[in-house]
Structures are given as structure tokens and as C-alpha cells.
Amino acid sequence: MTERYVWDLQEVDETQLAVVGGKGAHLGGLSRIEGIRVPGGFCVTTDAFRRIMAEAPSLDDRLDQLSRLNPDDREAIRTLSAEIRRTIEGIAVPGDLAAAITRALAQLGEQAACAVRSSATAEDLPTASFAGQQDTYLNVVGPTAILQHVSRCWASLFTERAVTYRQRNGIDHRTVHMAVVVQRMVFPHAAGILFTADPVTGNRKVATVDAGFGLGEALVSGLVNPDVFKVRHGEIVGKAIAAKQRAVHALPTGGTQEVAIDPQRQEQPALTDAQAVRLVRLGRRIEAHFGRPQDIEWCLVDGGFQIVQSRPITTLFPIPETGDQENHVYVSVGHGQMMTDPMKPLGLSMWQLTAMVPMHTAGGRLFVDVTRRLASPASRAGLLDVIGRGDPLIRDALETVLDRDDFVPSLPDAGPGGPPAGGASAPIETDPAIVTELIERSQVSIAALERDVRTKTGPALFDFLLEAFEEHKRVLSDPLSMQAIMAGMEATWWLNDTLREWLDEKNAADTLTLSAPDNVTSEMGLALLDVADVIRPHSEVVAFLQGVEYIEDKAFLDELAKLTGGTEARDAIEAYLDRYGMRCVGEIDITRPRWRERPTTLVPVILDNVRNFEPGAAERRFEQGRQKAQKKEQDVLSRLRSLPDGDRKADEAKRMIDRVRTFIGYREYPKYGIVSRYFVYKQALLEEAERLVQAGVLPEKEDIFYLTFQELHDVVRSHQVDGRLIQQRKDAFRSYHALTPPRVLTSDGEAVTGAYRRDDVPAGALIGLPVSAGTVEGRARVILDIAEADLEAGDILVTTFTDPSWSPLFVGIAGLVTEVGGQMTHGAVIAREYGLPAVVGVEQATRLIRDGQRIRVHGTDGYVEILP
């Protein structure tokens, strides 16, 4: 096929992204929609760009250098990208290419004013908009100037910001090419941006129009505040008219200029209400054509709208697919499980198959549909009560939705609302033997799973696993287990509520639960202190561990055994991994690497323990906690006895203290059981993946992580796999990292955040949920990856979320602040176990608190102060 350098906009559509880039493809698509006007023009294709790049062989070496640079090395990127741009702009446009552009220009009128706009092949994509990464030039007049600006657009593929954006998004510079759009310039009365979904709340039913006078550049560049119209169902539902002091206008000789707006016009709306509604109607047509919400640039010319750009809004959180038109309210599973990162498809489907309630997926996260439970007044009260105790922000968000007119239909109490959340807990004796029996039952069931799975391969393995998932759910829903968990939680609530009423003491249960028995997660943190005790005396082992990042996980333990003291160190780590090696950060996602698979993950924490603790610290910590709890119990009971009817109150409190100490530790065990089973499932599936690799069906084992369980089952049966599907899933998973999952999401796409609604905290303090009593002041360590932890005694850990895998860090810190969490999530339970003041659910804590700042954590009252 011969190269073609110029296409008319009317000839192209979205299928030709590789030829005309994202902007050109979208403009071509727009020009084909009935009733949508797009300024006429043409595209200079990517063939022309490749021709120019081939004119300078030296560019090849520079692109190699560029791809090797660290995205954070801004100076090197700035220097090298400037060199590449200069080289491209210095290449003379070959005669035949220049002639093709000039011929196309003659169709518009040789001296017509034009907009010359970059259109890269990685731009305006569903998962990466690349907005503002390349250049646009307005009001360019005459062939010489047009050719010069086409060269500038080619070069703008290598602006510093575009290069950095690609590197951060894992996009190879060589795979991206630049087309250029040349369009007839329009001189609008008003211009701006239309979002067909509310860009702040995500609501797909509410469109937002930003409008200003003159060219849209004034809004895009932030020169003026726009008028804002909000439109829902063809009606204006919100409007804010700004004082627009300046505008950008085109000059007759070419180029643009800022001009002051006449004071009488400044506060006039740039659009009438009727025009805003008409514009949104056009936007809905464009959205329907592209199949997703759009960010649209528009111009108002002679009373009519012209569309100069449309791209997907990439920041919206996706909506779970239901296949119906009903209203739905979804609650995030990740916020309850302390894991708000995206999960891979196998992880999502495995959690769905083993969960106790149906779950929906969106944006790589899991959600539970609570609409039915909210619709019935009886189940609504129970749901809000349990959710509110765990995470007040979710409760407030749900109440916000309930306050909306008729979003949630009202069902009679006898309707299919189901039982209240948590169910009614039947009475259970305060007997430690119950916990012992439950743990033994779980261990027997897991041992049977490990024994039986070894004999299964191929399709038979999948049939076996589907049965294993039923056993998994049976163990989880064991009525005795549920009663034990609820007994511990209800006793905690009773103690906190009642002792506040009787003794005016907040969060008394926090101290009363210190060093509670049978808590597998807090034992895990203490056990790593014992590992550090084995390693500490051996300087050669410590030195080896300090350089361990250069050693592969497979070789790590073998290399360790060759050193003086290394055998004892290896045996201690092996014993730890035998008990806890199935754990890892984000462990509800089966695809995450477990500690047993990547033992070097534990090394930074072991080294912190070696440095920060004396031998025997684990036993001392546990005993100190136990004694504090005992002392607190004596104090509470003696104070109660001095009250009116004191003996009865003391007896009741004593019963509840015994109850909480008997059962609260078990709260952590079911999760340990789930994760233990997950590791068995994972090992079996990876062995199956290895057989698929050997048979040439899959290029690599971990490709199975991008298939659902059912899809993997089909691949094992058919020995055929869709490689494109796996690649699409990899791209989608990468894009999900940029999305923030909401606590509550509606079927309109609205992310409802919720608020604490408190006025009992100092001005400027960060509000959260008090989950572990006490006040502590210290250095904030903002840590987003446990492998990068470098903590000293007295540090306060600030992070997004902490699941059980973080508990080894808890032994060495003085306090805890997280963005996600509730009263009974793992981080809160372990913070109480270790007596760490903790505040969770602090929105944007990792952004508002800087690493190294001094902060004061008020764990009893639920707020954090940033100190000067």
C-alpha cells in the first residue's frame, strides 16, 4: 500500500486511530453524527510523521536513551526531549509531502485562518486521555506558517510532559506516532467545555457546561473562571455565573491575544439557559455515538454550536453492569476488607465465588448491591447500624442517598429485604473451648483441602475446586463461628457504650482487649520479633539481609544458609513462612505474590526489628499488654462498685470483659482461614498454568491472572486462549490504578463520599474514626508499600489501608493513621491489641500529611493534628 499523507476529515472515523491519531479519529467520527457540526479540515497522517523521523537517523539513538531514563529524572528528560524536538523541527518537509499539505489547504482557501492541532495515536483513549500533552496552534494563516506549525506539532510528541506521561503509563515512545489536524478556524462568540457526566461526582445523568466569551483557550489555560451550568433531564438544575474579566480573541494577521471584557458584559452569562440545554442535547448524541461519557470542546458561532473536540472522560469510576434500568446503590467491598487497590480478573472472580453474598465488579473493584436492604425499613435499620459502627462515612453516604427523592424505592417490611446486616446473634456461652474447637475445625478442613487437591489436574481440578468453594463457604457460615465473632464485637460495643454512660469513659474496650488470646494476626507481628532475635547475634546474616534486594526470591533462603548463623536464620524464617507465608499485602486478591513466594518482602521489617528492639521483645510486649488490660479491668470494676447499684453494674461489666477477651481474638481467624485456602487454590492453579505454558497454550504462567476462573476452566478444557483478551485486560488493569474507588456508588455513576458531621475537633485537624484510644505525638512516616518501610521507634505510620500483612510493622510504631478502615477492620483490631493510638478513615491522609512531618494522633477522639 502506498503511503498517503493527507486525508479529509470527512473520510476518517474512530477505526483509523493508527492513521490520524486520537483527535483526528474522534473529529472524523463527530463529523458523521447527524446534527453535529465540525469545522472542515484535513489530517496529515502518521505516514508523514514516520517519513520525517526516518529523515534523521540520529533520532533512533536518542529514543533508545530516552526509554532508559527514570521517569523521575526530570533534568535528563528535559534536556534529551528538547534535543529531539529541535532535531524534528529542523528537518525540511520533503517537497511531495509539502505539496500534499498545500493542495489540501487550497480546498479550505489558501489564506484561510486555521487551527493546527496535534493528534497522537496514544491520545483520547478510553483509558488514557493524554489531555494537554501535545500542542495546538490557533489562527495560523498561509502555507508557510501552516507547514512550520505542522513540524512543531510533530515535535510536540516529545514535550517533557508527554514523555513523562508515557513513561509513567508504561507506553513505549516508539509505538506512539503523531498525526496533525488542520481545521478551518472558527471565531466564536462563546466557547467552553461540556462534560456529559458530572466530573466531580461522576453522576452520568448530570451534564456540566463550562462557558466563557471568545476562544475556549481562556478556560482551558485557567485565565478566567467559567460560567457553570448543570443540566439534568433537559432542565437546568444548577447555575453559577462568573465575572469573566478577560477573553482570548484571534488577531486578523494570525495568532491570538488576551483582551479585557467590557465591565458591563463581564457578569452576563456566556450562554442562555436554552442554549446550555440545547448544547447538552447535542452532547448526549455524541455520548451515544462513542458509547461512553465525553469531555467535549465547543464553540458558539452565529447562534449555532460547532464541536472542535471530544474525548472520553477517563477519571470516572465505572458502574457495575446490571442489565436493567432500575436504580441501584452499591457499597465498596474493598473499604471493608482494607484493600482498595484494583484486583486482577482471577482475583475478582475467586472472591465472588467464595463470598457469602453476591458481588459486582467495576473498575477492578468489588461492590455489594444494598438497594433491597435499604428499601425495607426493617433491614435498613440493621444495615445502617452495623455499617455505621464500622465506617461512619459509608453510613452517612447511604443516608445521603436515602434523603434523595425516590432514588431508593420503599418496600414493605415483609418484602425481600433479607435479615438485618449481621443477623440476630443467638446466645453463646463465654467458653474459650469454643474458640479452640472452631480453630481445630478450620485446620482439619484446610488439611483435607491440601491433601485432596494434590491428586487433581485438568478439568477435574476445576470441578474439585468448585466443590472446595462450597466447603469454603460452609466453614465461613458456620453458625458457631458467626456467633463467636458477633459475641466479641457486641461485647466491645456494650463496654464502650455502657462504660461511657456509667463512668464517662470513652473507648474503654480498647485497653480491655490488649493482648487478647488467640489473635492470629497480632501473634504474626510478635512472631517476627522472635525471628529478629534469632538473626540479631549474627552480623554476617544482618549484612547479607541489608543487600538482599539484589537476590532473587528463589535463591534467598539457600544463600542465607551458607553464612555463619545462616542455617538458624533460614530455619526461623522458614518456620515463620510455614505459619504465615500465605499472607501478603492485598491478600484478598489471589493473584498477589504471597510471602512464601516472595520472602524478601519481609526483610525490611526484620531489619527494623533487629535495629529497634532488644531480645525477648515479643514476650515482653504481650505480657505488658495483658497486665495493662488486667489493671484496667480492676480499675473499671472498682469504680463501678462505688456507684449506686454498683455490684450489679460491676458483675455485668465483668461478664462482658470476660466475653470480649474470650472471643475478640477469634475475630481475625476466619480471614486467616480464607487466605490459607486461597494459597492452596493458587498453587494448584499455577501448576495448571505451568502445564499450559509447556503445551504452548500460554506464553507465561501469570497470564492466567487476567482470566476469570470460568474462562481459565474453558482454556484448560479447550487448550485455546484469546491473547487479545488477555492484553486488553492487562491494559484495563493498568488504567484502574488511576481510579479512586468510592465508598458508595449509585447506578447513576455518582460517587457518594459521606462526611463525619462533627464540630468537636480543633480547626485544621484531619477528622477520622477513633479506633484505638490514647494520644501520641511523633514523626509521620507516609508509607504506601510495606517493602519500602524504614521505621524507627516512635514513628507514626500513615498509609492508605492496612490489611493483616501490615501487622508486623505495628510492633515498631507509636501510632497509626489510615485513609480506609472502621472499628472492626483488621488494622483497628491489631492497633487495639498492641495499644497503639489509631485514627482510621482519614480522607486523603497520605496527601495531606507529608512524610517526616510531626503529627499528634488523638486515638480516643478521632482526629489528627499536623504540628508546626
Side-chain angles (χ1 to χ4, degrees):
M1 187 180 113
T2 58
E3 291 172 334
R4 183 170 167 195
Y5 296 130
V6 173
W7 293 64
D8 191 276
L9 266 182
Q10 301 278 347
E11 295 180 90
V12 300
D13 62 22
E14 304 90 302
T15 62
Q16 283 144 308
L17 184 117
V19 180
V20 294
K23 194 173 285 132
H26 275 80
L27 284 166
L30 283 165
S31 66
R32 291 161 181 248
I33 305 171
E34 192 180 339
I36 302 298
R37 292 169 60 206
V38 175
F42 59 89
C43 297
V44 182
T45 66
T46 51
D47 281 340
F49 173 76
R50 277 188 286 268
R51 168 96 180 264
I52 290 296
M53 293 294 280
E55 297 276 325
S58 66
L59 284 171
D60 248 9
D61 290 342
R62 287 185 178 143
L63 286 182
D64 282 342
Q65 282 175 264
L66 198 59
S67 63
R68 288 194 293 269
L69 292 178
N70 183 320
D72 295 324
D73 190 348
R74 297 186 60 173
E75 190 53 46
I77 288 175
R78 186 177 299 128
T79 306
L80 191 52
S81 56
E83 268 181 47
I84 293 170
R85 286 197 306 280
R86 275 196 303 275
T87 303
I88 293 170
E89 286 186 40
I91 297 167
V93 179
D96 57 333
L97 174 49
I101 294 171
T102 307
R103 273 197 305 277
L105 192 57
Q107 302 289 311
L108 297 179
E110 200 165 279
Q111 290 303 310
C114 292
V116 182
R117 315 173 72 194
S118 306
S119 179
T121 52
E123 180 176 90
D124 296 352
L125 307 178
T127 56
S129 74
F130 281 75
Q133 298 305 313
Q134 282 92 36
D135 291 346
T136 284
Y137 301 95
L138 299 178
N139 202 29
V140 183
V141 180
T144 306
I146 296 277
L147 285 171
Q148 182 188 17
H149 285 86
V150 166
S151 282
R152 285 185 183 167
C153 284
W154 287 328
S156 77
L157 190 63
F158 298 98
T159 61
E160 182 189 344
R161 63 183 182 273
V163 166
T164 305
Y165 191 95
R166 286 196 294 274
Q167 286 183 300
R168 291 199 191 287
N169 283 275
I171 296 167
D172 180 352
H173 301 300
R174 291 174 188 281
T175 62
V176 184
H177 300 110
M178 181 66 86
V180 182
V181 175
V182 180
Q183 272 178 294
R184 188 188 297 279
M185 185 73 192
V186 291
F187 302 100
H189 162 73
I193 298 160
L194 159 63
F195 298 97
T196 64
D198 189 312
V200 178
T201 68
N203 194 324
R204 309 308 200 259
K205 301 274 177 71
V206 176
T208 301
V209 177
D210 289 0
F213 293 123
L215 292 166
E217 288 305 292
L219 301 193
V220 174
S221 63
L223 181 65
V224 297
N225 290 326
D227 296 340
V228 179
F229 300 83
K230 291 196 179 290
V231 180
R232 182 186 177 104
H233 299 318
E235 287 183 14
I236 303 278
V237 293
K239 180 165 64 170
I241 305 304
K244 300 167 289 296
Q245 295 172 341
R246 306 190 72 69
V248 174
H249 285 176
L251 293 168
T253 52
T256 60
Q257 175 184 14
E258 276 182 39
V259 296
I261 294 175
D262 188 310
Q264 278 79 47
R265 281 186 68 216
Q266 287 180 6
E267 296 199 24
Q268 283 180 4
L271 292 179
T272 65
D273 288 3
Q275 285 172 328
V277 169
R278 179 153 53 95
L279 175 60
V280 169
R281 206 173 296 130
L282 295 175
R284 292 284 176 227
R285 203 175 288 177
I286 294 168
E287 178 182 69
H289 174 84
F290 289 119
R292 50 169 46 91
Q294 297 288 300
D295 160 358
I296 298 164
E297 292 181 25
W298 56 269
C299 295
L300 179 65
V301 188
D302 300 329
F305 288 104
Q306 297 206 29
I307 305 300
V308 293
Q309 188 158 335
S310 185
R311 60 165 78 92
I313 307 175
T314 58
T315 53
L316 296 176
F317 201 87
I319 307 171
E321 289 177 20
T322 57
D324 64 36
Q325 297 302 306
E326 304 294 312
N327 287 349
H328 294 271
V329 182
Y330 302 97
V331 169
S332 162
V333 172
H335 285 80
Q337 289 294 336
M338 302 297 280
M339 189 349 223
T340 53
D341 289 349
M343 294 166 69
K344 294 183 179 131
L346 186 63
L348 291 166
S349 69
M350 291 289 277
W351 194 262
Q352 286 173 300
L353 286 164
T354 52
M356 304 307 297
V357 293
M359 291 184 178
H360 304 264
T361 64
R365 277 81 168 187
L366 291 162
F367 293 87
V368 174
D369 186 342
V370 295
T371 321
R372 280 289 178 88
R373 298 264 282 283
L374 288 174
S376 161
S379 59
R380 179 192 307 153
L383 177 73
L384 292 175
D385 181 50
V386 171
I387 279 184
R389 286 182 181 277
D391 188 332
L393 291 176
I394 294 182
R395 177 179 181 140
D396 187 76
L398 291 175
E399 288 176 334
T400 302
V401 176
L402 286 167
D403 287 343
R404 307 252 166 91
D405 294 341
D406 302 329
F407 188 85
V408 177
S410 224
L411 291 175
D413 281 351
S425 55
I428 180 177
E429 290 296 312
T430 302
D431 180 0
I434 293 172
V435 172
T436 308
E437 183 193 339
L438 286 167
I439 290 172
E440 280 173 7
R441 280 190 206 175
S442 177
Q443 287 171 338
V444 166
S445 176
I446 291 166
L449 172 67
E450 287 174 327
R451 182 188 66 235
D452 296 344
V453 79
R454 290 192 193 111
T455 61
K456 307 292 189 291
T457 59
L461 169 67
F462 288 82
D463 296 338
F464 170 79
L465 285 176
L466 286 169
E467 288 173 28
F469 298 161
E470 293 310 307
E471 165 68 2
H472 179 124
K473 288 195 272 193
R474 190 194 65 72
V475 171
L476 270 186
S477 59
D478 179 341
L480 188 63
S481 177
M482 302 296 282
Q483 287 172 312
I485 291 167
M486 288 310 296
M489 286 165 63
E490 285 168 353
T492 304
W493 298 335
W494 187 94
L495 285 166
N496 280 337
D497 294 348
T498 310
L499 295 180
R500 183 160 193 174
E501 184 189 330
W502 289 348
L503 298 174
D504 196 26
E505 179 159 348
K506 292 181 185 174
N507 306 59
D510 293 0
T511 309
L512 293 167
T513 54
L514 286 171
S515 299
D518 299 311
N519 188 318
V520 69
T521 310
S522 64
E523 287 166 4
M524 177 170 76
L526 296 173
L528 207 59
L529 287 174
D530 291 336
V531 172
D533 285 355
V534 174
I535 287 167
R536 193 178 289 105
H538 304 294
S539 56
E540 205 177 324
V541 171
V542 172
F544 168 80
L545 292 178
Q546 284 164 342
V548 88
E549 63 207 69
Y550 306 109
I551 293 184
E552 277 187 42
D553 277 287
K554 291 185 185 69
F556 161 58
L557 292 168
D558 295 336
E559 291 294 315
L560 189 58
K562 296 174 186 173
L563 309 170
T564 307
T567 308
E568 296 97 305
R570 182 195 62 190
D571 292 349
I573 293 170
E574 283 280 11
Y576 186 85
L577 291 172
D578 286 345
R579 182 143 165 76
Y580 304 111
M582 77 295 287
R583 308 218 87 149
C584 67
V585 171
E587 61 194 7
I588 70 169
D589 182 354
I590 196 172
T591 72
R592 291 285 191 106
R594 311 281 134 177
W595 289 344
R596 170 54 82 187
E597 295 169 303
R598 200 173 283 174
T600 50
T601 306
L602 292 169
V603 169
V605 192
I606 293 172
L607 287 170
D608 281 350
N609 288 350
V610 166
R611 188 175 70 242
N612 295 334
F613 291 93
E614 296 295 319
E619 198 176 334
R620 275 198 307 282
R621 287 290 294 268
F622 189 79
E623 185 53 30
Q624 283 163 1
R626 200 182 62 76
Q627 285 177 13
K628 264 191 201 168
Q630 207 169 15
K631 190 166 169 234
K632 183 72 174 175
E633 178 181 330
Q634 289 162 356
D635 171 57
V636 163
L637 296 179
S638 73
R639 285 160 63 201
L640 286 173
R641 285 195 187 97
S642 68
L643 297 175
D645 198 16
D647 286 348
R648 179 190 63 79
K649 287 175 177 170
D651 288 348
E652 265 190 78
K654 171 64 175 157
R655 255 199 326 278
M656 286 300 179
I657 291 169
D658 289 348
R659 204 161 173 73
V660 85
R661 290 196 68 78
T662 299
F663 293 118
I664 202 67
Y666 178 71
R667 162 81 180 79
E668 290 292 294
Y669 200 86
K671 181 79 171 275
Y672 176 78
I674 291 171
V675 177
S676 299
R677 288 172 186 281
Y678 264 32
F679 193 36
V680 179
Y681 306 151
K682 182 180 188 179
Q683 288 170 303
L685 291 173
L686 281 174
E687 283 172 22
E688 204 55 48
E690 185 57 53
R691 285 188 274 277
L692 291 170
V693 171
Q694 297 299 328
V697 178
L698 283 177
E700 50 191 66
K701 271 197 310 190
E702 294 194 350
D703 282 350
I704 67 165
F705 295 163
Y706 297 94
L707 298 170
T708 65
F709 181 82
Q710 187 56 55
E711 288 165 348
L712 179 54
H713 192 175
D714 294 341
V715 169
V716 167
R717 270 203 300 260
S718 67
H719 265 218
Q720 288 182 310
V721 70
D722 182 348
R724 282 172 314 176
L725 175 70
I726 288 175
Q727 189 53 52
Q728 281 167 7
R729 296 266 177 84
K730 287 180 178 179
D731 293 342
F733 177 70
R734 191 183 299 123
S735 76
Y736 294 152
H737 282 277
L739 300 174
T740 301
R743 282 177 165 82
V744 170
L745 180 66
T746 74
S747 47
D748 284 353
E750 185 177 1
V752 191
T753 49
Y756 285 108
R757 308 196 189 282
R758 289 172 52 191
D759 54 12
D760 59 341
V761 298
L766 309 181
I767 302 175
L769 182 64
V771 294
S772 185
T775 301
V776 67
E777 193 176 301
R779 178 178 70 153
R781 294 311 314 272
V782 180
I783 295 172
L784 302 179
D785 181 349
I786 194 171
E788 290 169 10
D790 179 15
L791 295 162
E792 290 177 10
D795 282 348
I796 296 168
L797 173 62
V798 180
T799 190
T800 318
F801 58 79
T802 61
D803 60 9
S805 69
W806 287 73
S807 65
L809 287 187
F810 283 24
V811 297
I813 58 176
L816 173 70
V817 179
T818 68
E819 294 181 349
V820 175
Q823 279 284 359
M824 285 297 165
T825 47
H826 302 277
V829 172
I830 305 309
R832 289 194 290 274
E833 277 281 308
Y834 290 162
L836 297 175
V839 180
V840 302
V842 180
E843 292 277 80
Q844 298 195 334
T846 59
R847 291 176 207 163
L848 297 173
I849 299 170
R850 288 199 314 278
D851 187 51
Q853 272 185 321
R854 287 195 70 73
I855 62 173
R856 188 179 296 128
V857 177
H858 295 263
T860 308
D861 295 311
Y863 64 91
V864 180
E865 289 179 283
I866 299 174
L867 302 175

